[in-house]
Short mmCIF file of all heavy atoms in Angstrom, two decimals:
data_model
loop_
_atom_site.label_atom_id
_atom_site.label_comp_id
_atom_site.label_asym_id
_atom_site.label_seq_id
_atom_site.Cartn_x
_atom_site.Cartn_y
_atom_site.Cartn_z
N THR A 923 -12.59 3.68 -11.49
CA THR A 923 -13.79 3.10 -10.94
C THR A 923 -14.01 3.45 -9.47
O THR A 923 -15.14 3.25 -8.98
CB THR A 923 -13.75 1.57 -11.04
OG1 THR A 923 -12.59 1.05 -10.48
CG2 THR A 923 -13.81 1.18 -12.55
N GLU A 924 -13.01 3.86 -8.75
CA GLU A 924 -13.17 4.20 -7.31
C GLU A 924 -12.02 5.11 -6.90
O GLU A 924 -10.91 5.03 -7.43
CB GLU A 924 -13.15 2.93 -6.50
CG GLU A 924 -13.31 3.10 -4.98
CD GLU A 924 -14.63 3.74 -4.59
OE1 GLU A 924 -15.59 2.96 -4.36
OE2 GLU A 924 -14.70 4.99 -4.51
N ALA A 925 -12.32 6.05 -6.04
CA ALA A 925 -11.30 6.98 -5.51
C ALA A 925 -11.78 7.47 -4.15
O ALA A 925 -12.97 7.67 -3.90
CB ALA A 925 -11.11 8.13 -6.49
N GLY A 926 -10.82 7.73 -3.27
CA GLY A 926 -11.20 8.26 -1.96
C GLY A 926 -10.04 8.08 -0.96
O GLY A 926 -8.99 7.57 -1.30
N ASN A 927 -10.29 8.58 0.28
CA ASN A 927 -9.33 8.45 1.35
C ASN A 927 -9.73 7.24 2.16
O ASN A 927 -10.78 7.21 2.79
CB ASN A 927 -9.30 9.72 2.20
CG ASN A 927 -8.25 9.60 3.29
OD1 ASN A 927 -8.52 9.10 4.38
ND2 ASN A 927 -7.06 10.09 2.99
N PHE A 928 -8.85 6.25 2.25
CA PHE A 928 -9.10 5.00 2.96
C PHE A 928 -8.24 4.93 4.23
O PHE A 928 -7.12 5.48 4.27
CB PHE A 928 -8.77 3.78 2.05
CG PHE A 928 -9.75 3.57 0.93
CD1 PHE A 928 -10.01 4.54 -0.02
CD2 PHE A 928 -10.40 2.37 0.83
CE1 PHE A 928 -10.91 4.33 -1.07
CE2 PHE A 928 -11.32 2.13 -0.18
CZ PHE A 928 -11.58 3.13 -1.13
N PHE A 929 -8.75 4.22 5.24
CA PHE A 929 -8.08 4.19 6.55
C PHE A 929 -6.65 3.72 6.45
O PHE A 929 -5.75 4.37 6.98
CB PHE A 929 -8.90 3.27 7.51
CG PHE A 929 -8.37 3.27 8.89
CD1 PHE A 929 -8.72 4.29 9.79
CD2 PHE A 929 -7.57 2.24 9.33
CE1 PHE A 929 -8.22 4.27 11.08
CE2 PHE A 929 -7.05 2.24 10.65
CZ PHE A 929 -7.44 3.26 11.52
N PHE A 930 -6.44 2.56 5.88
CA PHE A 930 -5.07 1.99 5.74
C PHE A 930 -4.35 2.54 4.54
O PHE A 930 -3.15 2.81 4.61
CB PHE A 930 -5.10 0.50 5.70
CG PHE A 930 -5.51 -0.19 6.99
CD1 PHE A 930 -6.57 -1.04 7.02
CD2 PHE A 930 -4.80 0.05 8.16
CE1 PHE A 930 -6.93 -1.66 8.24
CE2 PHE A 930 -5.13 -0.55 9.36
CZ PHE A 930 -6.20 -1.44 9.40
N ASN A 931 -5.00 2.64 3.44
CA ASN A 931 -4.37 2.95 2.16
C ASN A 931 -4.25 4.47 1.86
O ASN A 931 -3.62 4.83 0.85
CB ASN A 931 -5.15 2.32 0.99
CG ASN A 931 -5.13 0.82 1.06
OD1 ASN A 931 -4.19 0.22 1.66
ND2 ASN A 931 -6.10 0.19 0.47
N GLY A 932 -4.80 5.32 2.66
CA GLY A 932 -4.76 6.75 2.41
C GLY A 932 -5.51 7.11 1.16
O GLY A 932 -6.45 6.43 0.76
N ASN A 933 -5.09 8.15 0.48
CA ASN A 933 -5.71 8.52 -0.80
C ASN A 933 -5.44 7.47 -1.82
O ASN A 933 -4.29 7.15 -2.14
CB ASN A 933 -5.19 9.88 -1.28
CG ASN A 933 -5.55 11.01 -0.30
OD1 ASN A 933 -6.65 10.98 0.28
ND2 ASN A 933 -4.71 11.99 -0.16
N THR A 934 -6.54 6.93 -2.40
CA THR A 934 -6.43 5.72 -3.19
C THR A 934 -7.20 5.84 -4.50
O THR A 934 -8.30 6.44 -4.51
CB THR A 934 -6.91 4.49 -2.42
OG1 THR A 934 -6.14 4.33 -1.21
CG2 THR A 934 -6.84 3.18 -3.21
N LEU A 935 -6.69 5.25 -5.57
CA LEU A 935 -7.37 5.19 -6.88
C LEU A 935 -7.43 3.74 -7.32
O LEU A 935 -6.52 2.96 -7.06
CB LEU A 935 -6.63 6.03 -7.91
CG LEU A 935 -6.66 7.53 -7.84
CD1 LEU A 935 -5.69 8.09 -8.87
CD2 LEU A 935 -8.04 8.07 -8.05
N PHE A 936 -8.53 3.43 -8.09
CA PHE A 936 -8.61 2.12 -8.77
C PHE A 936 -8.93 2.37 -10.23
O PHE A 936 -9.75 3.21 -10.56
CB PHE A 936 -9.77 1.31 -8.16
CG PHE A 936 -9.58 0.92 -6.73
CD1 PHE A 936 -9.93 1.76 -5.71
CD2 PHE A 936 -9.05 -0.32 -6.39
CE1 PHE A 936 -9.75 1.46 -4.37
CE2 PHE A 936 -8.87 -0.69 -5.04
CZ PHE A 936 -9.23 0.23 -4.03
N ILE A 937 -8.24 1.63 -11.11
CA ILE A 937 -8.50 1.72 -12.55
C ILE A 937 -8.88 0.35 -13.11
O ILE A 937 -8.16 -0.63 -12.84
CB ILE A 937 -7.29 2.27 -13.27
CG1 ILE A 937 -6.95 3.67 -12.83
CG2 ILE A 937 -7.49 2.29 -14.79
CD1 ILE A 937 -5.71 4.28 -13.48
N ASP A 938 -9.95 0.30 -13.84
CA ASP A 938 -10.39 -0.91 -14.54
C ASP A 938 -9.82 -0.92 -15.93
O ASP A 938 -10.08 0.01 -16.72
CB ASP A 938 -11.93 -0.94 -14.56
CG ASP A 938 -12.50 -2.18 -15.26
OD1 ASP A 938 -11.71 -3.05 -15.65
OD2 ASP A 938 -13.73 -2.24 -15.45
N HIS A 939 -9.06 -1.94 -16.29
CA HIS A 939 -8.48 -2.03 -17.66
C HIS A 939 -9.19 -3.03 -18.51
O HIS A 939 -8.83 -3.26 -19.68
CB HIS A 939 -7.00 -2.44 -17.53
CG HIS A 939 -6.19 -1.46 -16.71
ND1 HIS A 939 -5.79 -0.25 -17.19
CD2 HIS A 939 -5.72 -1.54 -15.46
CE1 HIS A 939 -5.11 0.39 -16.23
NE2 HIS A 939 -5.05 -0.35 -15.17
N GLY A 940 -10.27 -3.67 -18.00
CA GLY A 940 -11.06 -4.59 -18.80
C GLY A 940 -10.77 -6.05 -18.47
O GLY A 940 -9.68 -6.43 -18.05
N SER A 941 -11.79 -6.92 -18.67
CA SER A 941 -11.66 -8.33 -18.57
C SER A 941 -11.09 -8.79 -17.23
O SER A 941 -10.28 -9.72 -17.15
CB SER A 941 -10.78 -8.89 -19.72
OG SER A 941 -11.41 -8.72 -20.93
N GLY A 942 -11.55 -8.16 -16.13
CA GLY A 942 -11.10 -8.61 -14.85
C GLY A 942 -9.68 -8.17 -14.46
O GLY A 942 -9.13 -8.65 -13.48
N PHE A 943 -9.13 -7.20 -15.18
CA PHE A 943 -7.80 -6.71 -14.95
C PHE A 943 -7.87 -5.29 -14.41
O PHE A 943 -8.45 -4.40 -15.07
CB PHE A 943 -7.02 -6.75 -16.28
CG PHE A 943 -5.61 -6.28 -16.17
CD1 PHE A 943 -4.75 -6.72 -15.22
CD2 PHE A 943 -5.11 -5.38 -17.14
CE1 PHE A 943 -3.44 -6.31 -15.15
CE2 PHE A 943 -3.82 -4.92 -17.07
CZ PHE A 943 -2.95 -5.39 -16.08
N ALA A 944 -7.36 -5.06 -13.20
CA ALA A 944 -7.46 -3.76 -12.57
C ALA A 944 -6.16 -3.40 -11.84
O ALA A 944 -5.36 -4.30 -11.47
CB ALA A 944 -8.61 -3.73 -11.56
N THR A 945 -5.96 -2.10 -11.61
CA THR A 945 -4.80 -1.63 -10.84
C THR A 945 -5.26 -0.70 -9.75
O THR A 945 -6.31 -0.06 -9.85
CB THR A 945 -3.78 -0.92 -11.76
OG1 THR A 945 -4.44 0.09 -12.51
CG2 THR A 945 -3.14 -1.88 -12.72
N MET A 946 -4.44 -0.61 -8.70
CA MET A 946 -4.75 0.28 -7.59
C MET A 946 -3.53 1.06 -7.14
O MET A 946 -2.36 0.54 -7.34
CB MET A 946 -5.35 -0.48 -6.38
CG MET A 946 -4.43 -1.43 -5.73
SD MET A 946 -5.26 -2.38 -4.35
CE MET A 946 -5.63 -1.06 -3.20
N TYR A 947 -3.73 2.27 -6.60
CA TYR A 947 -2.65 3.18 -6.27
C TYR A 947 -2.95 3.76 -4.91
O TYR A 947 -4.01 4.39 -4.74
CB TYR A 947 -2.57 4.27 -7.33
CG TYR A 947 -2.62 3.76 -8.73
CD1 TYR A 947 -3.83 3.37 -9.34
CD2 TYR A 947 -1.46 3.50 -9.41
CE1 TYR A 947 -3.89 2.84 -10.59
CE2 TYR A 947 -1.51 2.97 -10.70
CZ TYR A 947 -2.71 2.61 -11.27
OH TYR A 947 -2.78 2.05 -12.52
N CYS A 948 -2.07 3.59 -3.94
CA CYS A 948 -2.35 3.95 -2.53
C CYS A 948 -1.35 4.96 -2.02
O CYS A 948 -0.22 5.05 -2.47
CB CYS A 948 -2.35 2.74 -1.67
SG CYS A 948 -3.49 1.44 -2.17
N HIS A 949 -1.73 5.68 -0.94
CA HIS A 949 -0.94 6.63 -0.17
C HIS A 949 -0.67 7.93 -0.93
O HIS A 949 0.31 8.62 -0.62
CB HIS A 949 0.38 5.98 0.27
CG HIS A 949 0.21 4.64 0.87
ND1 HIS A 949 -0.65 4.40 1.96
CD2 HIS A 949 0.79 3.41 0.60
CE1 HIS A 949 -0.57 3.15 2.29
NE2 HIS A 949 0.25 2.52 1.48
N LEU A 950 -1.50 8.27 -1.89
CA LEU A 950 -1.30 9.44 -2.70
C LEU A 950 -1.38 10.75 -1.87
O LEU A 950 -2.20 10.78 -0.89
CB LEU A 950 -2.25 9.50 -3.88
CG LEU A 950 -1.96 8.66 -5.10
CD1 LEU A 950 -1.94 7.17 -4.76
CD2 LEU A 950 -2.99 8.92 -6.19
N SER A 951 -0.65 11.78 -2.22
CA SER A 951 -0.83 13.07 -1.61
C SER A 951 -2.00 13.83 -2.28
O SER A 951 -2.62 14.70 -1.70
CB SER A 951 0.47 13.93 -1.71
OG SER A 951 0.82 14.15 -3.04
N ARG A 952 -2.20 13.47 -3.59
CA ARG A 952 -3.28 14.15 -4.34
C ARG A 952 -3.74 13.25 -5.47
O ARG A 952 -2.93 12.52 -6.05
CB ARG A 952 -2.76 15.46 -4.92
CG ARG A 952 -3.80 16.34 -5.54
CD ARG A 952 -3.16 17.60 -6.15
NE ARG A 952 -2.64 17.33 -7.48
CZ ARG A 952 -1.78 18.12 -8.07
NH1 ARG A 952 -1.36 19.27 -7.50
NH2 ARG A 952 -1.34 17.84 -9.30
#
């Protein structure tokens, strides 16, 4: 649902798994 380079989190991804349940991944190299 979202991806980009964030100031604090670096390269970041967000995944929506449904019903208000989501995960995020920060500091990625790629």
Side-chain angles (χ1 to χ4, degrees):
T923 55
E924 180 63 89
N927 183 272
F928 287 59
F929 185 82
F930 290 124
N931 295 336
N933 294 326
T934 301
L935 289 173
F936 296 84
I937 298 178
D938 179 5
H939 302 285
S941 295
F943 180 49
T945 52
M946 66 183 296
Y947 313 81
C948 305
H949 311 307
L950 281 62
S951 62
R952 189 183 81 194

